[in-house]
Amino acid sequence: MGKDGNVGLDASARPLHTPRSYADYAEKHGIFDLMHDIAKDLVLNTPADPLARIVEFLEEPATPKIFIQGPIGSGRQELSKGIHAKSNAVQLEINEVINAAVTLETPNGQAAAPFVSAGNIVPNSVLVPIVLDRLSEDDCKRNGYVLRGFPETRVQAVALQAAGILPTHVIFMEGSNLTSAIQNIQSRVQHPETNAVYSTLHNPPSEDVLSACIPIVNGPTETEIRESHQKFEQNLMAMRATYLDSSISADTAEPMDVLLDHVWKILTTKKQTAAPWIPRVYLIGPVGSRDDVFARNLAEKYGIVHVQLRQLMQQAIHAKASSSAVLAKALGPQGNGASQVPDSVLNGLVETRLSQLDCQTQGWVLTGFPGNAAQAQSLQDAGHKANRVFILEVDEETAVQRVGGRRTDPLTGQTCDVHTNPPAPDVSTRLTVHPRDTEASIRTQLQSFNQQYTDLSAVLDAQAVHVDANDPDENLVMNIIDSHLIYQRQDTIAC
């Protein structure tokens, strides 16, 4: 502020608009989450040289760090194998980790040896350092790990946290009853050559492998299984509270293949963070897919802008734009819609609308566009790349049934559906059918969409979500779209 009290050229007094490219870059590279993770790592490790630690942190690969919690016989070993097969994360079991340290005679292994030889429980003061040593080895740093059987208590979990061990996911094997656990343990067999262990209930091997396996007779006793279940139930609430943000519930009553599929979907779903995110959605679908219905629902629920190509064309006609004659012909009774309008005209309409302040600050959902690869590429080149892409799929007969019943009353201008909302008899005689709503036209539109989609899909994001829009229940389809709008899936475990 100047001496005369005027603000003058003080930029802080003016509204500052961050360029769209800045936000796009931050979102693409996860800058906000990265800053959060760096700050959390510094606070946990309190390094003497923060800058050196930041460099070290950035050089570390993002790997899965998974704990599987569950009583004996809950299927945690089978689940661990399934996750390992999909991610190549190192499988670790707490007793095997202890025995390996004792065998290798590491300093901590030597401290644990007397307890192991006496058949006693290794105290946390020795056990935690053994686990930390194993998790710091190169294979765990490089590939991540799946650790089962530890930590079992809040005290152990807090000790790991104090040492900077924060799991990306903690899976709780719930719903296992004592009877099923005993049956699971008794069903285990081992291959004498590979030492591979199988459960004939949860993950049975092929018949030729099974024929060579022998039953495991030295497994845990019923008493040990019962005590394991009691201990798990006693500590479950405290453990959940400790790992509140990373916990996953796994229903052990489900078949193992179903359970693994459920857990894997959660593991590969990107976690919600506090990073700012503005929805930019392509909702692409052929005639009869109800894309505008779902777009309106999204706009109302999340306060984003529904940008509809047909509405933009109508607005340009009313504003007497230079392209109004071409647009009016396309929307007229004998017109073929946007398909007969040059891409340059449509691109200009859409890009201008998406550049307006409400779309930039609130986000948008776009319907009716892009309709081909060139249009999609033009949008991306103009900086309007979507961060969510939904492809609505609908069968030809379903589309004909939905759209073929539309009629217009020439006196009132109102529309109705003769199948779902039939008009009064005196009104039905004067209803008209738009040329684009005839069965032949609908089938032609669907064919055109399918032809264009092959090239269009090559430009769209590989993470596009294909949604079955045939279901007559709009709420079910909307729930699918809604869930993918909030939670983003990826091919690898979200770390």
Side-chain angles (χ1 to χ4, degrees):
M1 181 178 291
K3 295 180 180 180
D4 58 357
N6 294 325
V7 174
L9 298 178
D10 184 359
S12 64
R14 298 185 285 109
L16 302 176
H17 300 303
T18 304
R20 174 74 258 169
S21 58
Y22 291 7
D24 290 344
Y25 180 86
E27 181 181 317
K28 178 181 179 180
H29 296 283
I31 299 299
F32 293 97
D33 293 336
L34 178 62
M35 295 298 102
H36 171 270
D37 292 342
I38 289 174
K40 183 172 69 173
D41 181 81
L42 292 176
V43 170
L44 285 173
N45 291 287
T46 59
D49 186 348
L51 292 180
R53 173 54 196 164
I54 290 175
V55 172
E56 182 182 355
F57 175 82
L58 293 175
E59 291 177 344
E60 293 175 354
T63 57
K65 303 174 180 63
I66 302 171
F67 295 164
I68 298 183
Q69 305 295 313
I72 296 174
S74 60
R76 57 189 183 182
Q77 180 179 4
E78 289 77 16
L79 182 61
S80 175
K81 287 182 178 179
I83 295 174
H84 164 74
K86 289 175 174 288
S87 67
N88 201 35
V90 179
Q91 290 189 83
L92 301 175
E93 194 276 328
I94 186 59
N95 292 317
E96 294 174 356
V97 171
I98 296 172
N99 291 333
V102 172
T103 301
L104 294 173
E105 297 183 348
T106 66
N108 291 316
Q110 292 177 358
F115 299 97
V116 174
S117 61
N120 295 328
I121 296 175
V122 179
N124 289 334
S125 59
V126 178
L127 181 57
V128 172
I130 288 177
V131 173
L132 294 176
D133 286 345
R134 182 64 184 92
L135 299 184
S136 66
E137 293 185 17
D138 288 342
D139 59 344
C140 289
K141 287 184 176 180
R142 182 175 58 253
N143 300 323
Y145 53 81
V146 182
L147 173 62
R148 62 182 191 276
F150 192 85
E152 293 183 302
T153 67
R154 178 174 172 81
V155 172
Q156 294 171 344
V158 172
L160 289 181
Q161 288 182 343
I165 301 299
L166 297 177
T168 55
H169 303 86
V170 181
I171 304 171
F172 293 95
M173 307 290 288
E174 301 183 60
S176 175
N177 59 61
L178 188 60
T179 301
S180 63
I182 293 173
Q183 291 174 345
N184 182 32
I185 293 298
Q186 293 175 343
S187 75
R188 289 182 177 177
V189 294
Q190 186 173 29
H191 196 283
E193 295 181 3
T194 64
N195 291 325
V197 177
Y198 303 95
S199 167
T200 56
L201 291 179
H202 284 303
N203 67 329
S206 60
E207 292 186 6
D208 58 330
V209 173
L210 181 60
S211 62
C213 290
I214 57 176
I216 297 178
V217 295
N218 59 344
T221 64
E222 290 191 19
T223 300
E224 291 173 331
I225 297 174
R226 182 178 292 105
E227 291 175 350
S228 174
H229 275 69
Q230 291 174 347
K231 185 176 183 179
F232 175 74
E233 293 297 332
Q234 289 170 355
N235 289 284
L236 178 59
M237 185 175 295
M239 289 293 289
R240 275 194 168 281
T242 305
Y243 295 118
L244 189 62
D245 295 334
S246 55
S247 65
I248 300 174
S249 294
D251 184 1
T252 57
E254 296 282 357
M256 183 51 62
D257 57 341
V258 176
L259 179 60
L260 176 60
D261 183 63
H262 166 72
V263 170
W264 186 253
K265 286 181 180 178
I266 298 176
L267 292 177
T268 55
T269 298
K270 188 176 180 181
K271 294 182 179 180
Q272 283 186 289
T273 68
W277 181 71
I278 298 177
R280 301 189 300 278
V281 183
Y282 292 167
L283 198 54
I284 300 173
V287 58
S289 63
R290 301 175 296 190
D291 53 343
D292 286 324
V293 173
F294 300 127
R296 284 195 297 270
N297 290 340
L298 289 177
E300 292 174 3
K301 183 172 184 178
Y302 296 103
I304 61 180
V305 181
H306 177 198
V307 179
Q308 184 187 36
L309 177 62
R310 186 178 183 85
Q311 186 179 52
L312 295 181
M313 294 169 65
Q314 292 171 338
Q315 291 172 350
I317 294 172
H318 294 153
K320 300 186 185 311
S322 58
S323 58
S324 59
V326 176
L327 297 173
K329 183 178 180 181
L331 296 181
Q334 303 303 320
N336 292 322
S339 61
Q340 72 181 74
V341 180
D343 284 352
S344 58
V345 174
L346 299 179
N347 292 341
L349 292 176
V350 175
E351 291 168 12
T352 299
R353 184 65 186 93
L354 297 183
S355 298
Q356 293 178 4
L357 188 59
D358 57 347
C359 287
Q360 293 287 306
T361 57
Q362 298 169 223
W364 44 263
V365 52
L366 176 61
T367 58
F369 195 88
N372 57 50
Q375 293 172 354
Q377 189 62 56
S378 177
L379 276 182
Q380 294 189 16
D381 294 343
H384 300 299
K385 183 177 180 179
N387 48 27
R388 293 291 188 276
V389 178
F390 295 98
I391 309 297
L392 302 178
E393 299 176 342
V394 62
D395 296 335
E396 187 170 315
E397 297 307 319
T398 301
V400 170
Q401 183 181 13
R402 285 178 182 166
V403 181
R406 285 199 300 221
R407 301 292 186 272
T408 303
D409 186 341
L411 293 182
T412 64
Q414 295 181 338
T415 60
C416 68
D417 191 303
V418 295
H419 300 308
T420 61
N421 184 28
D426 59 326
V427 176
S428 61
T429 57
R430 67 171 182 259
L431 296 181
T432 60
V433 182
H434 192 283
R436 287 180 59 82
D437 293 340
T438 64
E439 180 176 341
S441 176
I442 295 170
R443 295 186 188 278
T444 300
Q445 293 173 62
L446 287 169
Q447 184 179 9
S448 175
F449 175 85
N450 293 331
Q451 290 173 345
Q452 292 288 352
Y453 175 69
T454 301
D455 294 332
L456 178 61
S457 60
V459 180
L460 298 177
D461 194 332
Q463 295 292 332
V465 178
H466 292 256
V467 179
D468 184 356
N470 289 293
D471 199 306
D473 190 337
E474 293 179 359
N475 291 327
L476 292 178
V477 180
M478 186 63 202
N479 287 340
I480 296 174
I481 297 174
D482 202 16
S483 65
H484 284 280
L485 181 70
I486 301 172
Y487 302 104
Q488 188 174 19
R489 290 284 309 280
Q490 54 191 47
D491 295 329
T492 57
I493 295 178
C495 302

